[in-house]
């Protein structure tokens, strides 16, 4: 039977295996295997909320093994470290337990078709000191690390009786992640006083967003950036535009103008690149962001039997721009890769990919949601704000839930999330 291996069960990969399992796996037309280095899937756009502690990975995560059992595919826990494209196999790193004892040795998995959906990592552009001193928000582990550090700092500030002592947070990168995190932290600082930290409030929080470009949200229309800037200003967030960070040291970012921005918590969210090991494989053609170049069918330019989707995929559009690394791109690519793999099994011609920009939304916690809709479906985009924008923002997450669970279970999952939000704590304290 045809073996299809998908590496990476994120926004794109998990939607893809759900579809392939339904259309091929359950009909006995192909054997589907998902490989991921984590045991649990959390939709990446929620990571800043995990970091701030307003959602819990236990109620919002999907256990791959349970999902695999339901959809009838195989799940292999492990980190892919190599691809042998001549022998059509991938290698997974050994797995050790918490005591350092070997659990699973290095393994090889064979494929007929491989799909790479391994996402992206933060790009520190080689800025000295950044990797050592700041926190990235690339994975659940990193988001949880930030959350622990945040709780510790909240406890510390709460004990200081001088109101002028503030918790300082510096976020490099004024994209969606940086701006959304800043607003979420403001909300959390106010929540903390209801959870045994009576001295804490947003008045004792000092958040700076440091953006090298001319304005925050550089990838979005200017009107959205202006609206977000004034919403952040109302929250007291210090937005520093045209400010490039040249280095980082313990407790501070240093700008190119040698300004020292001190911080108790330092976050780097200034752009992404595909994981470094892709280059080391020496198989693929890549672009500046290390993304793997693909043909219009989403097959890599190096090997027809390797498809690439999501953030690690370098897809050049007709106007010369690259498809942006977004959840909606990963979703659309997962759809097309599924269609093409189904067509391969059915001996039908492959389809080509076209990115449709349905717009972008920035959700500034409970304070504001701003965005544009239908970017390239109409000649101009429609600006939306407030409740309508919030509704559309939530529907993106809902659509992902329906894609990975099906409609019925998806609705149940969303309802159970609502109930757990109602009865549970508004702030995760562990
Ligand atoms: C805080 C934050 C907020 C965001 N907000 C938005 C938003 O509002 N709207 C939007 O459109 N986009 C948003 N994004 C971007 C969006 O999350 C990504 O574009 C999307 O998740 C990409 O999907 P993907 O499937 O390519 O990768 P991911 O969703 O990142 O999945 C990659 C998967 O691969 C696994 N993996 C990686 N390497 C290996 C390996 N070597 N071996 C095995 N498994 C591996 C990982 O564990 C992960 O499960 C946000 C991103 C962040 C960080």
């Amino acid at each position: 039977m045809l073996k299809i291996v998908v590496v990476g069960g994120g926004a794109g990969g998990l939607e893809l295996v759900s579809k392939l399992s339904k259309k091929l796996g359950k009909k006995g037309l192909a054997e589907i295997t998902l490989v991921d280095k984590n045991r649990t899937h959390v939709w990446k756009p929620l990571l800043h909320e995990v970091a701030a502690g307003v959602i819990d990975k236990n109620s919002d995560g999907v256990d791959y093994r349970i999902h695999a059992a339901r959809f009838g595919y195989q799940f292999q826990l492990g980190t892919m470290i190599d691809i042998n494209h001549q022998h059509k196999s991938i290698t997974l790193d050994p797995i050790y337990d918490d005591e350092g004892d070997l659990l699973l040795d290095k393994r090889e998995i064979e494929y007929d078709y491989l799909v790479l959906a391994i996402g992206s990592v933060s790009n520190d552009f080689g800025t000295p000191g950044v990797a050592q001193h700041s926190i990235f928000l690339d994975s659940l582990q990193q988001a949880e690390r930030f959350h622990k550090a945040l709780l510790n700092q909240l406890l510390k500030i709460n004990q200081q009786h001088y109101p002028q002592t503030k918790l300082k947070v510096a976020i490099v990168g004024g994209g969606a992640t940086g701006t959304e995190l800043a607003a979420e932290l403001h909300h959390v600082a106010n929540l903390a006083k209801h959870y045994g930290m009576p001295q804490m409030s947003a008045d004792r929080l000092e958040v700076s967003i440091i953006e090298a470009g001319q304005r925050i949200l550089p990838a979005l229309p200017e009107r959205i950036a202006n609206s977000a800037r004034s919403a952040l200003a109302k929250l007291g967030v210090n937005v520093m535009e045209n400010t490039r960070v040249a280095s980082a040291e313990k407790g501070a970012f240093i700008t190119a103008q040698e300004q020292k921005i001190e911080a108790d918590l330092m976050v780097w969210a200034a752009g992404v690149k595909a994981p470094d090991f892709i280059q080391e494989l020496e198989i693929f053609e890549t672009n500046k962001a290390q993304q793997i170049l693909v043909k219009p069918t989403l097959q890599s330019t190096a090997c027809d039997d390797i498809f690439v989707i999501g953030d690690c995929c370098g897809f050049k559009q007709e106007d010369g721009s690259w498809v942006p690394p977004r959840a909606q791109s990963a979703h659309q690519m997962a759809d097309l890769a599924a269609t093409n793999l189904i067509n391969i099994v059915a001996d039908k011609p492959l389809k080509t990919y076209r990115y449709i920009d349905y717009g972008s939304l920035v959700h500034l916690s409970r304070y504001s949601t701003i965005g544009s809709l239908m970017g390239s479906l109409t000649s101009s985009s429609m600006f939306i704000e407030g409740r309508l924008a919030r509704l559309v923002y939530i529907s993106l997450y809902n659509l992902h839930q329906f894609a990975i669970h099906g409609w019925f279970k998806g609705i149940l999952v969303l309802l159970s999330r609502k109930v757990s939000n109602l009865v549970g704590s508004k702030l995760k304290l562990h």
Side-chain angles (χ1 to χ4, degrees):
M1 205 191 309
L2 194 79
K3 289 183 182 145
I4 301 175
V5 175
V6 178
V7 184
L14 194 58
E15 291 191 10
L16 176 64
V17 287
S18 307
K19 248 193 197 120
L20 291 177
S21 304
K22 228 158 100 186
K23 302 274 180 189
L24 298 177
K26 284 193 173 165
K27 293 180 180 163
L29 296 170
E31 184 186 293
I32 317 292
T33 303
L34 172 68
V35 175
D36 201 287
K37 58 184 177 183
N38 291 313
R39 292 166 202 261
T40 317
H41 160 90
V42 172
W43 197 50
K44 205 174 175 184
L46 295 181
L47 282 187
H48 66 286
E49 295 186 38
V50 175
V54 290
I55 62 165
D56 184 359
K57 72 151 191 190
N58 297 320
S59 53
D60 292 285
V62 178
D63 188 302
Y64 287 118
R65 283 197 191 282
I66 296 173
H67 190 262
R70 223 186 122 234
F71 277 77
Y73 63 88
Q74 292 184 27
F75 174 67
Q76 288 280 348
L77 177 68
T79 302
M80 182 186 76
I81 49 165
D82 201 8
I83 301 172
N84 186 334
H85 65 288
Q86 267 116 14
H87 290 103
K88 292 192 162 203
S89 66
I90 60 167
T91 309
L92 306 189
D93 224 9
I95 298 180
Y96 299 89
D97 66 15
D98 291 345
E99 277 71 47
D101 293 329
L102 184 68
L103 272 182
L104 291 177
D105 215 338
K106 221 179 215 187
R107 286 154 293 156
E108 291 211 345
I109 300 177
E110 293 180 349
Y111 64 81
D112 294 303
Y113 286 92
L114 176 67
V115 183
L116 296 179
I118 53 176
S120 57
V121 294
S122 289
N123 194 347
D124 69 5
F125 304 99
T127 314
V130 168
Q132 296 87 319
H133 301 294
S134 38
I135 300 179
F136 302 118
L137 290 184
D138 294 334
S139 64
L140 190 56
Q141 292 79 358
Q142 288 168 338
E144 288 181 320
R145 189 180 142 216
F146 178 89
H147 179 54
K148 268 193 192 146
L150 172 66
L151 284 180
N152 289 342
Q153 290 296 333
L154 290 174
L155 278 173
K156 200 168 134 187
I157 297 291
N158 182 57
Q159 289 302 317
Q160 314 255 339
H161 290 288
Y162 306 105
Q164 60 269 39
T165 317
K166 293 194 174 184
L167 166 57
K168 292 182 185 161
V169 184
I171 304 167
V172 181
T177 305
T179 49
E180 291 182 342
L181 178 65
E184 215 58 76
L185 290 175
H186 187 277
H187 173 48
V188 162
N190 278 333
L191 274 180
K193 65 171 173 266
H194 303 296
Y195 293 98
M197 293 177 249
Q199 309 300 325
M200 197 58 219
S201 77
D203 295 339
R204 300 191 73 180
L205 178 72
E206 201 176 285
V207 181
S208 300
I209 296 177
I210 312 158
E211 167 59 44
Q214 286 181 351
R215 62 170 170 89
I216 55 165
L217 300 169
L220 305 188
E222 195 160 358
R223 188 168 169 196
I224 298 177
N226 292 341
S227 216
R229 194 187 299 104
S230 54
L232 290 167
K234 279 190 200 146
L235 301 180
V237 175
N238 175 26
V239 177
M240 305 167 75
E241 292 165 322
N242 287 308
T243 309
R244 193 174 64 79
V245 167
S247 64
E249 57 185 45
K250 193 171 175 1
F253 287 115
I254 316 294
T255 71
Q257 293 79 29
E258 295 185 7
Q259 185 186 353
K260 194 170 181 175
I261 300 158
E262 292 186 344
D264 305 298
L265 292 173
M266 298 162 65
V267 182
W268 186 271
V272 294
K273 61 178 179 179
D276 291 334
F277 84 95
I278 284 176
Q279 305 279 16
E280 290 152 23
L281 295 173
E282 294 183 359
I283 302 172
F284 303 108
E285 288 184 279
T286 54
N287 62 13
K288 246 171 97 180
Q290 300 185 172
Q291 293 166 307
I292 300 169
L293 301 196
V294 292
K295 299 176 184 175
T297 50
L298 296 182
Q299 290 160 298
S300 68
T301 55
C303 316
D304 273 350
D305 42 28
I306 303 183
F307 285 79
V308 190
I309 64 167
D311 283 6
C312 64
C313 172
F315 189 100
K316 203 173 205 168
Q317 304 183 92
E318 276 170 13
D319 65 0
S321 65
W322 298 99
V323 169
R326 290 196 191 148
Q328 59 174 323
S329 328
H331 166 78
Q332 293 169 19
M333 287 180 176
D335 259 1
L336 189 96
T339 302
N340 279 349
L341 286 160
I342 293 164
N343 283 359
I344 285 172
V345 173
D347 216 6
K348 287 186 182 164
L350 301 195
K351 300 212 159 157
T352 56
Y353 176 72
R354 192 168 73 86
Y355 171 61
I356 300 175
D357 183 357
Y358 288 106
S360 307
L361 291 154
V362 183
H363 175 56
L364 300 176
S365 189
R366 63 208 305 262
Y367 308 108
S368 170
T369 306
I370 318 149
S372 63
L373 272 192
M374 318 228 188
S376 61
L377 290 186
T378 55
S379 52
S380 62
S381 60
M382 186 172 82
F383 180 81
I384 53 167
E385 204 166 1
R387 276 183 189 207
L388 174 64
R390 167 125 186 90
L391 213 70
V392 179
Y393 180 83
I394 293 169
S395 71
L396 282 179
Y397 173 68
N398 294 354
L399 285 175
H400 177 67
Q401 295 301 314
F402 297 144
I404 63 172
H405 294 300
W407 287 96
F408 183 64
K409 175 106 192 285
I411 289 170
L412 293 182
V413 168
L414 293 170
L415 284 176
S416 80
R417 190 180 175 209
K418 268 237 165 307
V419 172
S420 89
N421 282 350
L422 273 177
V423 297
S425 156
K426 302 268 177 284
L427 177 63
K428 306 299 160 243
L429 296 161
H430 49 83

